[in-house]
């Protein structure tokens, strides 16, 4: 049996994984854009951050009809990118296509539909077509929108923000590797801020069905000799076979962990690497974040729980006590998926209690992760 990625040295896992996939079609174009962006900011000695954001898909078929996805909307990544821009960074925003984007996130998706911010003003000129008023921003949103618009335009005009989309987990890996290497000339002015929710599991190409997985048995003359039979790929067995339908069992491999390669090879010498750790079990969060830091020897792991991620995070860094950062109660955004009662639980339930500190964001400071 072929060794799994976990059993390989990181460099070997890299060559096996990247040889299995063709690079994404958009990669050469993205590389050219990134090179020009990096060149510009190296010249200006500006700090550059690569922010990754949003979820990754795991296709079930090469000609993909179905895929596995995850919850991430890209709120953390898009919001963080705005803060980095405000701090003078140039930002390469590697994001899941159609996830939230810096600035436009304030007026996109169903919760903040831009149409709700607009109005039709009464027509001003009686001689003009009296049925057509100008489209304007509603008066109560003028200040907030002007502020966002100015920041957005500043970032655009000064070439501070490069938006690069990906969709699948393989595309994400290719883009990350290329961008990190292209960022070499930035040296210690480079920062990697890995907020994307990257799938831990995938179907290797060698085991992936080319065509749409069929949900019912095909007549024999449709079954191709060279096609990988559904039984070989997805080892589902029907206990009691319902007529014309079969169970689908998906057999996934672990995605190789490339943080090692990023830290030890792809990223420029002296650059800073920040990764995120997501858990749902509060008793595991601190332990898993500490383990990630030890394993990859980078600079910072930011831990968060799915249910409280908009209101609290924990910083785990080498030789430092863990540090909790919380949005004060009065400023916590309402969240449908969040469970506010669970704020503080991961701290209370962590394995052993070491010395730690807590930082509450200022009551009137920058708005949190809403
Ligand atoms: C995070 O933990 C992010 O904070 C969230 C943000 C994905 C929770 P939203 O997009 O959510 O604002 O809705 N990202 C990293 C999660 C992750 O997959 N980390 C890897 C791991 O835990 C390591 S790089 O193994």
């Amino acid at each position: 049996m072929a060794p799994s990625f976990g059993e390989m040295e990181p460099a070997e896992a890299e060559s096996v994984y990247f040889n299995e996939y063709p690079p994404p079609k958009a990669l050469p174009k993205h590389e050219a854009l990134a090179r020009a962006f990096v060149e510009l900011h190296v010249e200006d000695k500006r700090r550059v951050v690569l922010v990754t954001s949003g979820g990754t898909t795991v296709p079930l078929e090469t000609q993909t009809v179905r895929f596995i996805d995850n919850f991430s909307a890209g709120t953390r990544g898009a919001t963080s990118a705005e803060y980095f821009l405000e701090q003078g960074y140039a930002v390469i925003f590697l994001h899941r296509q159609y996830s939230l984007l810096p600035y436009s996130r304030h007026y996109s998706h169903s919760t903040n539909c831009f149409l709700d911010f607009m109005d039709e003003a009464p027509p001003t000129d009686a001689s003009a077509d009296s049925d057509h008023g100008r489209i304007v921003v509603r008066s109560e949103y003028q200040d907030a929108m002007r502020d966002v618009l100015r920041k957005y335009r500043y970032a655009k005009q000064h070439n501070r923000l490069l938006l690069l989309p990906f969709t699948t987990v393989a595309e994400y890996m290719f883009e990350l590797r290329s961008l990190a290497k292209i960022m070499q000339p930035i040296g210690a002015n480079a920062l990697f801020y890995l907020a994307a929710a990257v799938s831990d599991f995938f179907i290797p190409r060698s085991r992936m069905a080319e065509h749409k997985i069929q949900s019912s048995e095909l007549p024999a003359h449709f079954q191709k000799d060279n096609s990988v039979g559904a039984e070989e790929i997805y080892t589902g067995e029907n206990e009691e076979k319902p007529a014309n339908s079969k169970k689908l069992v998906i057999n996934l491999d672990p995605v190789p962990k490339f943080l090692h390669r990023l830290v030890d090879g792809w990223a420029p010498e002296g650059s800073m690497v920040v990764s995120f750790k997501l858990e749902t079990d509060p008793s595991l969060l601190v332990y898993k974040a500490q383990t990630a830091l030890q394993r990859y020897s980078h600079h910072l792991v930011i831990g968060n729980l799915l249910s409280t991620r908009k209101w609290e995070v924990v910083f785990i860094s080498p030789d430092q006590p863990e540090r909790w950062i919380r949005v004060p109660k009065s400023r916590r955004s309402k969240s449908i998926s969040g469970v506010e009662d669970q704020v503080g639980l991961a701290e209370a339930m962590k394995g052993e209690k070491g010395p730690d500190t807590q930082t509450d964001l200022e009551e009137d400071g920058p708005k949190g992760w809403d």
Side-chain angles (χ1 to χ4, degrees):
M1 213 167 93
S4 71
F5 286 115
E7 292 158 349
M8 294 178 198
E9 286 300 312
E12 187 191 358
E14 177 182 346
S15 100
V16 171
Y17 182 87
F18 286 98
N19 280 331
E20 181 159 356
Y21 288 94
K25 283 204 184 81
L27 191 64
K29 189 176 129 207
H30 289 179
E31 287 176 333
L33 289 168
R35 262 187 216 107
F37 189 80
V38 164
E39 215 169 278
L40 176 79
H41 295 295
V42 166
E43 212 162 278
D44 292 352
K45 298 194 170 55
R46 186 164 291 110
R47 290 179 294 177
V48 179
V49 58
L50 172 66
V51 175
T52 72
S53 183
T56 56
T57 67
V58 175
L60 303 191
E61 300 117 343
T62 309
Q63 295 194 38
T64 309
V65 174
R66 303 188 187 90
F67 52 84
I68 301 172
D69 204 349
N70 65 51
F71 68 94
S72 171
T75 313
R76 171 93 67 222
T79 312
S80 302
E82 289 177 17
Y83 283 100
F84 280 121
L85 287 162
E86 230 158 283
Q87 293 301 311
Y89 280 82
V91 176
I92 302 177
F93 191 67
L94 179 62
H95 64 282
R96 162 73 181 279
Q97 188 169 36
Y98 308 130
S99 63
L100 294 172
L101 296 177
Y103 303 122
S104 75
R105 75 179 172 97
H106 298 275
Y107 306 104
S108 63
H109 292 51
S110 53
T111 46
N112 279 336
C113 174
F114 73 97
L115 292 172
D116 292 330
F117 295 81
M118 319 288 281
D119 242 342
E120 190 175 339
T124 44
D125 182 356
S127 66
D129 188 343
S130 61
D131 210 21
H132 288 66
R134 286 168 60 82
I135 303 298
V136 293
V137 171
R138 294 167 68 124
S139 57
E140 64 269 41
Y141 300 123
Q142 291 276 335
D143 289 344
M145 194 179 274
R146 185 180 307 104
D147 186 47
V148 173
L149 185 64
R150 281 184 182 170
K151 288 175 179 161
Y152 169 72
R153 292 177 73 93
Y154 183 90
K156 259 193 111 161
Q157 279 163 0
H158 293 83
N159 227 323
R160 295 284 169 85
L161 178 59
L162 178 62
L163 303 176
L164 300 176
F166 63 82
T167 303
T168 67
V169 64
E171 286 170 7
Y172 169 84
M173 294 299 182
F174 269 97
E175 296 273 352
L176 178 67
R177 181 171 74 156
S178 281
L179 292 172
K181 290 180 177 178
I182 288 169
M183 288 169 71
Q184 284 284 340
I186 305 165
N189 269 348
L191 168 60
F192 294 83
Y193 185 87
L194 309 173
V198 183
S199 173
D200 286 326
F201 301 101
F202 79 125
I203 302 177
R205 209 174 155 82
S206 54
R207 284 202 279 117
M208 200 188 289
E210 166 72 19
H211 292 288
K212 184 187 163 203
I213 299 162
Q214 297 297 318
S215 60
S216 56
E217 223 61 79
L218 286 174
H221 64 277
F222 279 117
Q223 305 202 354
K224 299 190 188 95
D225 285 347
N226 61 353
S227 67
V228 190
E231 329 69 60
E232 291 168 47
I233 315 164
Y234 307 105
T235 55
E237 279 158 33
N238 298 321
E239 294 93 25
E240 271 177 53
K241 203 170 183 180
N244 290 328
S245 117
K246 62 181 178 182
K247 193 196 282 181
L248 174 65
V249 176
I250 302 169
N251 183 357
L252 300 165
D253 279 13
V255 170
K257 298 279 182 199
F258 286 126
L259 203 45
H260 254 310
R261 295 297 300 135
L262 180 74
V263 174
D264 288 345
W266 306 341
E269 191 81 21
S271 59
M272 183 176 180
V273 178
V274 178
S275 73
F276 280 78
K277 175 56 75 181
L278 171 74
E279 291 298 334
T280 56
D281 179 345
S283 68
L284 283 183
L285 181 64
V286 170
Y287 167 76
K288 293 293 290 278
Q290 284 168 340
T291 311
L293 190 73
Q294 280 160 14
R295 181 167 299 150
Y296 303 112
S297 316
H298 53 307
H299 303 92
L300 174 65
V301 177
I302 303 180
N304 52 179
L305 280 185
L306 183 68
S307 58
T308 59
R309 69 189 189 282
K310 310 237 168 177
W311 307 306
E312 70 172 354
V313 293
V314 58
F315 277 26
I316 307 285
S317 46
D319 310 319
Q320 298 283 327
E322 74 197 46
R323 195 165 141 200
W324 294 85
I325 299 186
R326 296 198 172 96
V327 176
K329 247 188 164 46
S330 61
R331 292 184 47 241
R332 286 183 196 159
S333 53
K334 292 285 154 274
S335 160
I336 301 165
S337 56
V339 187
E340 218 187 316
D341 288 355
Q342 290 186 4
V343 171
L345 210 56
E347 184 178 13
M349 290 177 74
K350 65 186 190 231
E352 42 163 301
K353 206 150 170 43
D356 55 15
T357 56
Q358 172 186 320
T359 306
D360 269 345
L361 296 178
E362 284 166 34
E363 290 287 335
D364 55 356
K367 208 152 176 358
W369 304 106
D370 57 353

